[in-house]
Amino acid sequence: MHKSLIAIGALIMALTALPAASQPVYLEGGVLRVTSGDSLQAAGFDIQLAGIYAPEPGVLYGHTAQTKLAAVLAGKSVRCSLTGQTGAQGREIAHCTLGDQDLSAVAVKTGAALDCTAQSGGAYKAMEQQSMRDRVPLPAHCR
């Protein structure tokens, strides 16, 4: 009986030492600024849309990509779920929606971004615009 109580006590101590299951962090707010074809500022965060890639402004086709996404998001609010990861530019990676639409899908369909297959598993590949695919090479981390 004494050994059982010690074992139960040890189990309780081990379980309480484990970190709590992380809860998703949701953000909702107006888009303050579109920083590239796959990134925006909203709800006080710099956000990179999950699963897609767009060149930065100042790089070939980067300004065009930024302008295309900005046109879609002008005056709109988004809801984002942070993944807990940060992108190469230090932005929070998030899955965002515009109304009931996946914002990464919207960005790809409008020609602002390409599917980043290594991150999305190819979820947006069929939505890519041929002109974007022809102009913008995917970086190694997306292949």
Side-chain angles (χ1 to χ4, degrees), residues 17-53:
L18 293 174
S22 61
Q23 297 295 317
V25 175
Y26 291 98
L27 310 170
E28 193 164 344
V31 175
L32 300 176
R33 191 175 138 215
V34 173
T35 52
S36 73
D38 65 358
S39 303
L40 55 105
Q41 291 177 336
F45 284 82
D46 288 328
I47 298 167
Q48 178 180 332
L49 299 173
I52 63 173
Y53 167 77

Side-chain angles (χ1 to χ4, degrees), residues 36-37 44 47 61 70 79 84-85 99 103 106 114 117 125 142-143:
S36 73
I47 298 167
Y61 204 66
R79 179 175 165 88
Q85 299 173 324
L103 190 50
V106 170
L114 292 170
T117 307
K125 191 76 174 164
C142 282
R143 292 186 217 131

Side-chain angles (χ1 to χ4, degrees), residues 8-139:
I8 291 171
L11 179 61
I12 290 171
M13 287 176 50
L15 290 174
T16 57
L18 293 174
S22 61
Q23 297 295 317
V25 175
Y26 291 98
L27 310 170
E28 193 164 344
V31 175
L32 300 176
R33 191 175 138 215
V34 173
T35 52
S36 73
D38 65 358
S39 303
L40 55 105
Q41 291 177 336
F45 284 82
D46 288 328
I47 298 167
Q48 178 180 332
L49 299 173
I52 63 173
Y53 167 77
E56 293 295 314
V59 177
L60 181 64
Y61 204 66
H63 180 71
T64 301
Q66 177 187 23
T67 302
K68 286 183 177 195
L69 187 60
V72 170
L73 295 177
K76 304 280 179 29
S77 289
V78 295
R79 179 175 165 88
C80 300
S81 171
L82 300 179
T83 66
Q85 299 173 324
T86 353
Q89 303 293 327
R91 299 174 182 130
E92 299 286 337
I93 297 176
H95 296 279
C96 298
T97 55
L98 177 62
D100 62 351
Q101 299 177 70
D102 175 350
L103 190 50
S104 292
V106 170
V108 172
K109 287 178 188 176
T110 60
L114 292 170
D115 178 67
C116 186
T117 307
Q119 296 173 3
S120 74
Y124 307 108
K125 191 76 174 164
M127 300 173 199
E128 290 180 344
Q129 288 194 1
Q130 188 66 43
S131 61
M132 181 71 159
R133 194 178 306 143
D134 292 344
R135 293 180 186 163
V136 178
L138 274 179

